[in-house]
Structures are given as C-alpha cells and as structure tokens.
Amino acid sequence: MAAPFNLTINLFSAVFSGLFLYDAAMLFLGIDLGASALKLILIDATGSPVAHIAAPVDTLNPTLGTFATAEQEPSAWLITLKTLLDNLFSNSQVKPEDITALNITAGAHIAVLCDDDMHPIRNAIMWSDQRAASIMSKLTASKDMIVSESLHAPNPTWTLAHLAWLTENDPEAMHKTHMILPAKDWLRYCLTGHIATDLSDAVGLQLLNAHREEWSATLCDLAGIKISQLPDIAPSVSYAGQISESAAQRFKLSPKTAVYTGAIDTSTEILRPSDDKSDAPASIKLASAGVVYMSVPDKTSLPPLSCYPHCTESNGWYLASGMNSCTTALDWLRKEVLSDMSLQAFNECAAKAQPGARGVMFHPYLMGERAPHWNPDLTASLSGMSRETDKSDIARAGFEGIAFAIRDIKENMEMLTGKAPNRFNLLGGGAKSRLWGQIIADILQLPINIEPNSDAAYGAGLLACLAHTGYLPATQKDNFVITLEPDTSRATFYAEKHAEFNRLREKLS
C-alpha cells in the first residue's frame, strides 16, 4: 500500500487571471507515473501550466538473493491518482468538465500482469529491477536472434527478461495471466476500459519485431507467453475513448474527457512546444533514472543502447542509454546520510562547497548499474572523507558523482554512434537545480539548455493537446530557455576528477 500522502500543489496564476481568455474548452491533463512519484500537470491551449500536483509512490524491494529488486503495487497507483485528482479539484478553480483531454505516460519496461477481469495478479516489476540477472545465461544464448528481432540485446531490465524470470520462478502467476499491459496502458484501461499500447511501450517490452512493428512469436516464446496475451499496438496520438462512467464516479473526472493512447516517459519528455528554440539533437534526463538521448532518423540497432520511436512518426527515433539511480541516489544521500535534509536545503548546502567537494566522491550505484557498465553487482560508495569534510562537501559530491556517471554514459554513446553532440537539453525534475545543471555543463564541457517545463507530465499534456487538436501549443513568451555555458577553466580539473571517479569504480565491481 502507498505511504501516507505528502501532497504538494502548485497552482499557477493562470488559474485565476485570464486563463479562460485563451479557450475555455481547452485544458489538457498530463499524468506521469514515475518511479518515485505520480505527477499531474494541467496545461492550457497555449502550453502554459495551470496546475501541478504530485505524490510519492512506494517501491518495494523484496529480498531475492543478492540482486537489487524493485516492485510497485498497481492498485496503489489508483489510490494515489484518486487522491491527487481530489486535491486538484478541491484546491483550484478547475472543474472536471474543464479538462478537454488527458494523456498518461510512465516508464518503459514495467508490465502489469492481469487476470480475466483485468485485475493485477502480482506487483509490477520495475525497470531498475536486477533479479533477472540470475537467468541471463538462458537469454544470452539467444542473443543474436533477440537483437535481430528487437534491436536490443537481452539484459535484466527489459520486460522480456522479467517475464522469463517469472516463468521460471512464479509459474502460478504466469498461468493466471490473461493480459499483459505496460503500466501507462493499464492505468488508461482503468479510466476508459480501452486495451492497447503504443509502439514505444511495445519496444520497451522487448517482445516486438521492431522491423515489422508487430509482436514476435519467437520472443514471446522465450518469455513464456503467447501473442494473444499482448494488446494491439496503436499510434501514440490515437483516440482511446472517453472516461468510463465507473471511472468518472471514482476519480471525479468528466465522462466527456477524451483520452489518448500516449507514449513512454522518455518520448513525451522529448516532445516540445511548436516554437521551442531549445531543440538539440541530444538530451539528458535527471529523474529517478539518469538518461542520455540522441535523435536518429530511423530505427538503429546499437546494443546496449536502446532505440525508441518519438511520439510522432515524422520525428523518427532516438537512442537512449540510462543509469539506474539518479535523483533516487540523491534522495538516499540526503535522507540517509544528511539527516533527511530537504531538497532545497540539500541544493543550498551543495552550493557552499567548492568544485571537487574537497576530495569527497560519490558513486551512485545503489541498485547495480545499467549503462555503460551493465553490472548488476556494482555497488555504491561515498569516499574521500576526512575530519574536515562537512555536509556541503557530501551534498556537492552527490551532484558531481551522478554527473560523472552521466559523462560515462555520454562518452560510451559517442563511441558507439561516432557522433558527438555540441550541446544538450536538460530534462526531468533534476533540471530545476541550476547548480546541478552548471556542474553537468562544467563536467561535460558543453552548453546545457534548461527550459521552464521539461518533465514527462508536461510532455504528456502536450501530447494530449497534439492528439486532440492536431497541433502542438506554442510556448508563452516568458517561457524562455536558459543556457548554462561551461566554465572552461575547470576542464582539466574535472577531467582528472572523472578519471579518479572511474579508477575508484573499478574497485567496486
């Protein structure tokens, strides 16, 4: 069951001053099921945020040998969603009937196993879960075929591996499974009764023949399932129906609100308003996972890089490479090491420290690691401390350690693609920290663009607008992009610190 709710509501002035001068019939709700929180953002027809509300979601960590585990209870998602909507309507002037359309997004590689009544059979295994490392030898024996069909090599974070592990370790649950839905699609089913997924989530299940863009019987057989247990695949902008009468009563939503199929969080985050000037061929996401993205014109198979489609067919595909613990590693550091310091206090504390954190170094491998090391046994470390070390050094070391890990991912992606971006857009909740953005700019020695709204919930709202109206809203004039330029005087210093970071990492594996 979800933890007690610690709700934050951020109601923008647009709610109370002239919002409905734009178009009273056009409000779009974006819902993002993140690994650590469920977030809602309501935007108007111009792309301006109207209201924002979020609440934490619990991740459970059952003990299964030595591998890091992560599960969430789907029924708890619904409880959290209802609480958020109740608070949204109670604490703003927004009414359910004001919401024209909504869209839901969530992380990839999260499957909900449903019975005949579409009720979850067990907790959903998260993308960061490493338990399937115990059966990887069976999947790697079919690596060439898996790569040929799915574009991707097998590893413990893909749903193919999760299902293969369940087939071997929880056959009762697999026997009861009638339908397998990605997380966002199960949530949408609970609102509409509509069963489908989109291409981005289909890719994330690693059960798709990516070339034909249809389910692969061979991959399903490896996972221990049948194609009949998987949903139809529809475009991200396709209409998925309206809020059902039962869902309208439960969630206080209007049955007239249109719902669209949507896409995974990474695809919605990259979606930008029509006149956004921050577009770059590459982006860095600072959220529960830290991810580096690079756009490509078409499907590209470069394992272990992931390749996903953009929300719209005209925008092609993008490569992604991610770490397991990003903002979650900072949360652990501030809660467990720094006496549950608030996020704001943590940021202010880190700002007091000098670059290099006086020798303190943080390796954020709390759940093993994905890119670029692909080592489920890799462990975290906080080192280099002395009697002179203070809280500010530890806080800054947290920001720097994750930035060093991102540099590892970036350099690995450049090696595999032969392309080196000359700047990055910064996405996700971590992008709100100007200090962290500057640290990343200095460590990468590249300009970093930061925009006012760049998380997945906002992208889901944009996608709802695009799907419903056929256009992306234009940004407001005050939604300017900030560019953080690297401090070139720190290039050599941070290059040396990065090399030290990796020398120490080798002792952790």
Side-chain angles (χ1 to χ4, degrees), residues 41-57:
I41 291 182
L42 194 64
I43 66 172
D44 67 17
T46 72
S48 294
V50 172
H52 172 233
I53 184 170
V57 292

Side-chain angles (χ1 to χ4, degrees), residues 66-228:
T66 61
F67 298 111
T69 60
E71 296 182 351
Q72 289 187 4
E73 186 181 357
S75 61
W77 302 339
L78 298 179
I79 295 170
T80 306
L81 178 60
K82 182 181 186 305
T83 302
L84 288 174
L85 290 167
D86 286 346
N87 278 269
L88 173 66
F89 296 132
S90 298
N91 292 279
S92 76
Q93 296 180 9
V94 177
K95 300 179 180 63
E97 56 268 26
D98 295 332
I99 301 175
T100 302
L102 68 80
N103 182 37
I104 304 172
T105 188
H109 313 182
I110 307 170
V112 180
L113 276 57
C114 304
D115 63 17
D116 291 349
D117 297 318
M118 297 303 292
H119 295 144
I121 292 169
R122 68 176 319 280
N123 291 340
I125 299 177
M126 302 297 288
W127 48 263
S128 55
D129 192 285
Q130 299 290 312
R131 74 185 69 187
S134 65
I135 62 156
M136 285 311 297
S137 59
K138 296 182 179 180
L139 295 182
T140 53
S142 302
K143 179 180 176 179
D144 291 345
M145 182 278 295
I146 295 173
V147 172
S148 175
E149 295 238 349
S150 73
L151 305 178
H152 304 107
N155 70 63
T157 67
W158 293 92
T159 305
L160 167 61
H162 297 166
L163 295 174
W165 185 92
L166 287 170
T167 296
E168 185 171 304
N169 293 275
D170 193 356
E172 183 178 356
M174 295 298 285
H175 178 71
K176 294 178 180 177
T177 298
H178 169 71
M179 179 65 63
I180 298 169
L181 283 180
K184 79 170 192 318
D185 301 308
W186 183 78
L187 279 175
R188 191 185 62 253
Y189 165 81
C190 292
L191 294 183
T192 65
H194 178 258
I195 298 176
T197 192
D198 79 302
L199 187 59
S200 65
D201 246 328
V203 168
L205 293 181
Q206 205 179 16
L207 301 170
L208 184 83
N209 182 307
H211 306 285
R212 297 197 302 267
E213 297 185 2
E214 60 186 38
W215 299 119
S216 163
T218 307
L219 294 175
C220 287
D221 186 60
L222 272 179
I225 67 166
K226 300 176 181 178
I227 289 179
S228 60

Side-chain angles (χ1 to χ4, degrees), residues 425-479:
N425 288 335
L426 201 60
L427 311 174
K432 296 176 182 177
S433 171
R434 186 80 62 89
L435 171 67
W436 201 3
Q438 187 61 58
I439 288 172
I440 292 172
D442 292 345
I443 287 177
L444 300 187
Q445 283 296 296
L446 289 173
I448 298 293
N449 294 334
I450 302 176
E451 38 191 321
N453 306 294
S454 62
D455 65 7
Y458 180 74
L462 290 178
L463 187 55
C465 178
L466 173 64
H468 193 78
T469 67
Y471 69 88
L472 278 170
T475 52
Q476 295 287 294
K477 292 181 180 179
D478 59 351
N479 281 1

Side-chain angles (χ1 to χ4, degrees), residues 82 189-193 242-253 255:
K82 182 181 186 305
Y189 165 81
C190 292
L191 294 183
T192 65
Q242 294 176 303
I243 303 296
S244 68
E245 289 291 343
S246 59
Q249 293 179 10
R250 179 176 183 180
F251 298 100
K252 297 183 180 178
L253 289 167

Side-chain angles (χ1 to χ4, degrees), residues 189-422:
Y189 165 81
C190 292
L191 294 183
T192 65
H194 178 258
I195 298 176
T197 192
D198 79 302
L199 187 59
S200 65
D201 246 328
V203 168
L205 293 181
Q206 205 179 16
L207 301 170
L208 184 83
N209 182 307
H211 306 285
R212 297 197 302 267
E213 297 185 2
E214 60 186 38
W215 299 119
S216 163
T218 307
L219 294 175
C220 287
D221 186 60
L222 272 179
I225 67 166
K226 300 176 181 178
I227 289 179
S228 60
Q229 293 173 281
L230 297 172
D232 291 340
I233 302 170
S236 297
V237 295
S238 61
Y239 179 67
Q242 294 176 303
I243 303 296
S244 68
E245 289 291 343
S246 59
Q249 293 179 10
R250 179 176 183 180
F251 298 100
K252 297 183 180 178
L253 289 167
S254 169
K256 295 182 180 180
T257 296
V259 183
Y260 293 88
T261 300
I264 61 173
D265 54 1
T266 53
S267 294
T268 62
E269 284 160 339
I270 297 173
L271 189 66
R272 304 272 37 95
S274 61
D275 67 349
D276 197 322
K277 306 305 180 186
S278 66
D279 183 48
S283 301
I284 295 170
K285 171 184 176 179
L286 302 177
S288 297
V291 187
V292 178
Y293 309 123
M294 184 183 298
S295 290
V296 289
D298 203 351
K299 301 170 186 131
T300 303
S301 184
L302 283 174
L305 302 183
S306 302
C307 188
Y308 294 100
H310 283 282
C311 294
T312 55
E313 295 180 3
S314 60
N315 287 340
W317 290 58
Y318 62 91
L319 298 171
S321 191
M323 60 192 295
N324 270 344
S325 300
C326 183
T327 58
T328 50
L330 288 187
D331 287 342
W332 177 87
L333 197 63
R334 67 182 180 84
K335 291 177 180 178
E336 303 298 334
V337 180
L338 297 178
S339 303
D340 207 9
M341 182 182 291
S342 70
L343 281 170
Q344 181 177 346
F346 185 89
N347 197 80
E348 293 172 352
C349 185
K352 298 175 183 177
Q354 56 190 265
R358 292 195 293 183
V360 180
M361 193 158 285
F362 178 58
H363 290 79
Y365 311 124
L366 293 167
M367 295 192 68
E369 189 53 293
R370 292 188 293 165
H373 309 298
W374 303 102
N375 183 355
D377 295 318
L378 198 56
T379 57
S381 173
L382 184 62
S383 61
M385 293 176 288
S386 68
R387 292 184 63 182
E388 285 70 40
T389 298
D390 60 23
K391 291 181 178 180
S392 66
D393 297 319
I394 295 173
R396 184 173 182 107
F399 284 127
E400 289 183 340
I402 295 171
F404 287 137
I406 287 171
R407 176 167 170 169
D408 285 342
I409 296 171
K410 166 191 170 289
E411 291 180 350
N412 178 256
M413 182 175 280
E414 289 174 346
M415 179 188 70
L416 291 171
T417 63
K419 299 179 181 179
N422 58 11

